Amino acid sequence: MRSKYGDYGGQYISEILMEPVQELERAFEAAVADPAFHETLKGYLKDYVGRENPLTYAENMTQSLGGAKIYLKREDLNHTGAHKINNALGQALIAKRMGKPNVIAETGAGQHGVATATACALLGLNCKIFMGAEDMARQKLNVFRMELLGSEVVCVESGSKVLKDATNEALKYWAAHIDDTHYIIGSAIGPAPYPEIVKYFQSVIGEETKTQHMAKEGRLPDAIIACVGGGSNAIGMYAPFVELPAVKLYGVEAAGMGLNTPEHAASISGGRIGVLHGTKTYLLQDDDGQVKEAYSISAGLDYPGIGPEHSFLHDTGRVTYVPATDDEAVTALQFMAKTEGIIPALESAHAVAYAMKLAPKMGKDETLVICLSGRGDKDVESIQRRLSHDHTESI
Amino acid sequence: MIIQKVFEKHKKPLISYLMVGDGGYDKSLAYAKFLIDSGVDMLELGVPFSDPVADGEIILKAGQRALKSGADIDMVFEMAKALNSEYDVPLVIMSYLNPIFCYGYDRFFSQMAKHGIEAVIIPDLPFEERGEIEPFLKQYDVKQIAMVALNTGEERLKAIAENSTGFVYLVAVKGITGTQRPVIEAVGEVAKSIKTATKTPVVAGFGIKSSEDIEAFHQIVDGIVIASEFIRLREEGALDSIRSLIKTGK
């Protein structure tokens, strides 16, 4: 299995985790080679997650922006409201195959936590979700949702009390409970084989898109845009297109308050190469290699690293990574809500924000696919707060 | 003194650890001197890191305090220089990979050589990734201390042991530093396996706290590391307890 992407990726983990990741790699390879596993996964994706989800032609947006024909890949219509369930379910099935009754996961905003809790409830696995104390305070509803689903939410008080600290604690807990516990990492990050596993389970996004676009347009799309935090929806969307250079690929990082401020989460646009959570990749860090806290209005992009394959795809130039600020994302969210009647997740709104810049520059005979990785229900309250605040300020 | 000499000279050397800059440079230097004066045979100088995934709360917090006081790799070399001018005790650097990567491998390992620091322990650089620093280890004649865990498989254990230099660091708990209790029987089994593959001395660390622990470990390994427990005692101001534990360990 692929463990490096150029110089990126790898297995920078403590010795105690080496055997478990190797065991995971063997279990994953065996599952992929087993037709029965594919049948099971396919069945759940269809009848439980609700795949395939549509590739929606966004006619109003297309007309309003006056350029490329815009399509939306509707991961927002999945059960639990985002692409995260694709990976959580796939990995939970792997945990079952390995005979591990317990599952742990890290979560920032709570989306991966909810998806994992859901998969565990469905498959009868015990589930513990590690979440930073700060994030728990900000995302009370998702905490309750995970508890409703029968999971235990472990409050992480160490470090800066956000996603990276929750990941640290999950790794530590895993080290101490490797015999009966599988760790479901939620993004295309972590030591090998995680980035490959996550890509495998998320590549259903790209595969469906390719087939659907072929059916509608009789050809490949000209451009694809996805938002990138750790980058799991993006890497899954790109997977079948990476080897097809005619398709331009874009990844949108969260620029928060702006790249010229410390308040952003753009690892590629504003970071340097480093090693965190088992992988070598672009990182937000200071001169001494201390990892910095990331910031974005969208908690799902709020991670100081990025999947190692993204770092590689950036260096090779195959994917163009661009930033979008909080303001741009919020504007894009409002625009899409009003024109299409779809409220995107704040994460996905970053992709929409760049589409608003790119589409008008493209020809009317060209097509542009936006990966709508999740729905915005979870963000409505914070958008309301922000917009009423903005209103007050303008008075 | 070179590491090998320590194992020849002392029957069961006691190794300790400090987070450089914990309490500020001066106080952490004084603590290093206290440890050596109390009889520690080898000292690990810890580089603080924001995300120490192999460490429990005690070392994590020590690292945060050190970072607040401005500790960095240069401070570690400064301390090494100060200690080397007074003592003949081998120093080993313990750091996660990222601070070293950021400092620059060539710069880091040349500085190690310059300060006569023989070995480095990097908990997140396993055997499979040794290629990352191998050329620099060779160029500057520096050792990377190999780590073995209780769950390390037979094949990998053999490869790790055969390639080991200095000493083999056996992680005595299934987990992280300073939290769980070590399982003596399991440690003994693994120590035996290592010894059939190499003559390199085997040192156990993680979770060792009491004179009973020390005595039990002396039966099965060539030396021990006490880190978190001493940091905890130092925080409590119980330096006497540290001194008497070191005495037991001699």
Side-chain angles (χ1 to χ4, degrees):
Chain A
M1 247 176 106
R2 193 173 177 191
S3 71
K4 297 244 168 156
Y5 312 88
D7 195 33
Y8 302 107
Q11 291 180 315
Y12 301 93
I13 47 177
S14 47
E15 174 57 28
I16 194 163
L17 294 178
M18 282 307 292
E19 300 286 338
V21 297
Q22 291 185 350
E23 181 196 354
L24 174 61
E25 184 171 335
R26 287 190 295 272
F28 174 70
E29 283 180 328
V32 168
D34 178 2
F37 178 77
H38 289 269
E39 278 311 303
T40 311
L41 177 63
K42 228 169 119 185
Y44 281 124
L45 287 180
K46 178 172 182 291
D47 297 326
Y48 188 73
V49 176
R51 303 202 76 99
E52 64 176 43
N53 57 43
L55 183 69
T56 306
Y57 171 44
E59 193 175 0
N60 299 335
M61 267 179 77
T62 300
Q63 278 173 4
S64 165
L65 294 173
K69 208 168 166 184
I70 297 172
Y71 282 99
L72 309 173
K73 181 55 178 165
R74 302 294 304 278
E75 294 300 309
D76 61 316
L77 295 180
N78 292 341
H79 178 44
T80 70
H83 69 291
K84 292 285 183 193
I85 190 77
N86 303 330
N87 168 58
L89 195 55
Q91 283 203 50
L93 286 169
I94 299 279
K96 276 214 104 142
R97 280 181 70 102
M98 288 194 289
K100 300 205 169 179
N102 304 318
V103 158
I104 57 167
E106 83 294 340
T107 198
Q111 293 308 104
H112 174 56
V114 168
T116 304
T118 300
C120 288
L122 175 70
L123 298 175
L125 296 160
N126 305 314
C127 181
K128 251 192 226 301
I129 306 288
F130 291 82
M131 193 168 182
E134 292 264 337
D135 289 334
M136 279 179 80
R138 283 188 291 206
Q139 305 283 341
K140 285 195 190 106
L141 217 52
N142 268 344
V143 173
F144 182 59
R145 206 168 272 154
M146 289 182 265
E147 287 169 351
L148 268 182
L149 290 160
S151 285
E152 181 193 340
V153 181
V154 180
C155 181
V156 175
E157 295 278 2
S158 62
S160 36
K161 303 175 190 181
V162 292
L163 177 59
K164 81 177 175 81
D165 311 284
T167 308
N168 292 341
E169 288 309 310
L171 281 166
K172 289 177 191 183
Y173 181 90
W174 194 34
H177 299 84
I178 37 187
D179 295 336
D180 59 3
T181 303
H182 173 58
Y183 178 17
I184 301 188
I185 292 185
S187 195
I189 57 160
Y194 277 106
E196 281 297 295
I197 292 178
V198 174
K199 176 167 72 172
Y200 180 86
F201 289 126
Q202 293 296 2
S203 59
V204 65
I205 304 172
E207 297 292 351
E208 283 182 10
T209 300
K210 196 174 161 195
T211 310
Q212 290 167 322
H213 193 277
M214 268 300 176
K216 284 178 197 284
E217 296 284 337
R219 63 186 182 87
L220 293 169
D222 296 289
I224 294 176
I225 304 177
C227 66
V228 186
S232 67
N233 85 87
I235 212 70
M237 175 56 111
Y238 301 159
F241 298 104
V242 163
E243 301 294 331
L244 304 168
V247 184
K248 291 198 180 79
L249 302 175
Y250 297 90
V252 187
E253 292 191 291
M257 314 273 223
L259 291 182
N260 53 346
T261 75
E263 305 294 309
H264 65 80
S267 315
I268 284 181
S269 308
R272 284 178 297 119
I273 301 167
V275 178
L276 179 69
H277 296 148
T279 196
K280 189 187 276 186
T281 192
Y282 281 91
L283 272 189
L284 300 178
Q285 55 185 327
D286 69 13
D287 293 343
D288 293 331
Q290 308 299 339
V291 180
K292 284 201 237 172
E293 241 180 274
Y295 164 79
S296 164
I297 186 174
S298 121
L301 302 181
D302 202 345
Y303 180 71
I306 186 167
E309 191 169 5
H310 287 293
S311 295
F312 177 66
L313 292 170
H314 164 72
D315 283 9
T316 62
R318 177 63 190 95
V319 178
T320 306
Y321 292 87
V322 293
T325 62
D326 284 0
D327 285 343
E328 289 170 326
V330 171
T331 304
L333 180 143
Q334 290 171 281
F335 173 70
M336 179 172 253
K338 282 184 183 136
T339 53
E340 291 295 337
I342 297 170
I343 302 175
L346 271 171
E347 291 78 11
S348 323
H350 286 73
V352 179
Y354 187 67
M356 289 168 70
K357 290 183 188 169
L358 183 65
K361 292 187 210 151
M362 293 172 67
K364 289 198 162 129
D365 53 343
E366 292 184 296
T367 65
L368 165 62
V369 177
I370 304 171
C371 187
L372 204 63
S373 55
R375 68 173 90 118
D377 305 30
K378 68 181 174 63
D379 298 316
V380 168
E381 212 188 321
S382 64
I383 296 288
Q384 186 191 28
R385 262 201 312 271
R386 184 184 174 95
L387 293 179
S388 61
H389 181 67
D390 283 356
H391 181 66
T392 325
E393 276 190 350
S394 67
I395 297 168
Chain B
M1 196 186 301
I2 61 168
I3 291 173
Q4 195 191 334
K5 274 267 157 60
V6 171
F7 288 94
E8 287 167 12
K9 199 174 147 203
H10 304 280
K11 234 167 106 193
K12 301 280 177 182
L14 175 67
I15 303 168
S16 192
Y17 166 98
L18 83 145
M19 181 65 79
V20 172
D22 179 10
Y25 176 77
D26 292 341
K27 281 188 178 165
S28 67
L29 177 62
Y31 177 58
K33 290 179 178 178
F34 161 78
L35 288 173
I36 299 172
D37 289 337
S38 302
V40 159
D41 303 304
M42 199 188 310
L43 199 55
E44 297 174 11
L45 302 181
V47 177
F49 182 47
S50 52
D51 297 81
V53 290
D55 289 307
E57 278 292 294
I58 294 174
I59 292 184
L60 184 144
K61 286 195 171 140
Q64 285 172 341
R65 290 192 297 265
L67 285 174
K68 260 194 198 140
S69 81
D72 58 11
I73 286 181
D74 285 325
M75 189 188 274
V76 174
F77 288 129
E78 191 185 331
M79 185 175 289
K81 199 173 162 191
L83 291 172
N84 282 334
S85 70
E86 268 183 66
Y87 299 97
D88 185 25
V89 162
L91 302 173
V92 174
I93 291 184
M94 180 137 185
S95 175
Y96 287 86
L97 187 60
N98 200 48
I100 301 177
F101 178 77
C102 270
Y103 194 82
Y105 291 146
D106 191 75
R107 184 174 162 219
F108 180 80
F109 290 105
S110 67
Q111 286 288 315
M112 276 190 69
K114 192 181 143 200
H115 289 93
I117 304 171
E118 198 181 331
V120 62
I121 303 173
I122 308 176
D124 58 348
L125 189 66
F127 185 64
E128 280 71 5
E129 298 289 357
R130 66 193 182 284
E132 184 80 19
I133 58 167
E134 214 163 37
F136 303 97
L137 296 179
K138 282 200 180 115
Q139 187 182 344
Y140 295 107
D141 194 22
V142 170
K143 300 179 172 76
Q144 185 194 355
I145 299 301
M147 296 186 101
V148 169
L150 295 181
N151 64 344
T152 300
E154 207 178 312
E155 222 171 280
R156 293 187 59 254
L157 184 142
K158 197 162 170 269
I160 294 169
E162 283 173 359
N163 280 278
S164 64
T165 51
F167 59 90
V168 176
Y169 196 128
L170 202 176
V171 180
V173 299
K174 278 198 170 179
I176 51 178
T177 57
T179 49
Q180 291 164 316
R181 301 294 300 139
V183 187
I184 298 286
E185 296 74 25
V187 177
E189 287 300 311
V190 180
K192 231 183 267 170
S193 307
I194 299 171
K195 285 177 167 303
T196 55
T198 182
K199 288 199 167 66
T200 313
V202 179
V203 165
F206 284 43
I208 301 175
K209 290 178 199 276
S210 63
S211 51
E212 291 78 23
D213 290 346
I214 294 172
E215 209 159 291
F217 274 96
H218 278 176
Q219 310 302 314
I220 53 177
V221 291
D222 305 310
I224 55 165
V225 182
I226 303 182
S228 300
E229 181 63 6
F230 284 176
I231 296 176
R232 193 186 66 78
L233 289 169
R234 180 193 176 199
E235 277 174 65
E236 278 182 5
L239 293 182
D240 282 349
S241 308
I242 297 177
R243 201 180 286 123
S244 71
L245 260 181
I246 294 174
K247 291 254 146 57
T248 329
K250 301 301 293 177

